[in-house]
Amino acid sequence: MQLCEQLPETGFCLVLDGDCLALRYCDEAKLGDVKVDFLAGRVAHRRQYGGAEAVSKAVGVKKGQRPSVIDGTAGLGRDAFVLANLGCEVTMLERSPWVAALLDDGLRRAKADADIGEWVGQRMRLIYASSIDDLAQQNLRADVVYLDPMYPHRKKSAQVKKEMRVFQLLVGADLDADLLLEQALKVAQKRVVVKRPSYAEPLAGKVAHNHLSTKTHRFDIYSLI
Ligand SMILES: C[S@@+](CC[C@H](N)C(=O)[O-])C[C@H]1O[C@@H](n2cnc3c(N)ncnc32)[C@H](O)[C@@H]1O
């Protein structure tokens, strides 16, 4: 059974397909549905990255070291899942109610899975809140604060992944992202890691102590110890 409800003034529909929640951009069917499916993601992750993905290096995952992480811009939880899969406890903050609902739904289904449910339940926690307004107030502490805010893409929209285009339509460009860094530096114990497109300037113009680069991205690493 499929239920579809239009979200006022957004152009989006909230779709309930079986027991899975999804968002669909009503005017452009080609964009497809956006949902959180950690079970499919787990397979893709293993095939694509193994254990050596850049995000885990940037955060400081090593043999015997599994830092606790606050993911201050949780989105669809992919980076958080990678880190939790490697053994990190991850607290995710997401301020968009629509994105938080998708993520909450994905977590619910993952926790019910016989294979990954136990560690997802133990290591992944979602808080629907803004990391700019609430990070300090929530009294959260972690070894690492990880940030991956939206960035205005300079490529033509057809080249940007469908999911990212839906995100751009839904949450916009996170134009206040510079404010995140100051908050993150207050609560991180060891480092703040910011994921940026390789052509983007650092958050708040603040040059990081270290960088880790991939083909398309750069991880800016602000060390606190
Ligand atoms: C590019 S996405 C993050 C993708 C995520 N790293 C992943 O792996 O799926 C950016 C997300 O950060 C969220 N966001 C931006 N600023 C935020 C803030 N101040 N507090 C909480 N969430 C925020 C946006 O709503 C959006 O969902």
Side-chain angles (χ1 to χ4, degrees), residues 140-166:
L140 297 171
R141 288 280 177 279
D143 295 325
V144 180
V145 176
Y146 176 75
L147 302 171
D148 173 21
M150 295 287 288
Y151 189 82
H153 279 267
R154 64 179 185 187
K155 286 181 183 171
K156 288 223 162 66
S157 58
Q159 294 170 277
V160 178
K161 275 203 310 191
K162 283 181 186 175
E163 208 168 71
M164 195 49 73
R165 286 166 64 196
V166 174

Side-chain angles (χ1 to χ4, degrees), residues 71-81 93-97 99-100 103 127-133 146-151 163-164 167 170-174 176-177 179-180 195:
D71 181 344
T73 54
L76 299 178
R78 286 161 302 197
D79 291 326
F81 183 78
L93 275 81
E94 173 53 54
R95 69 176 170 183
S96 157
V99 178
L103 185 49
I127 302 175
Y128 166 47
S130 162
S131 297
I132 294 172
D133 304 329
Y146 176 75
L147 302 171
D148 173 21
M150 295 287 288
Y151 189 82
E163 208 168 71
M164 195 49 73
F167 250 73
L170 190 67
V171 302
D174 289 341
D176 56 357
L179 300 172
L180 280 165
K195 183 177 176 186

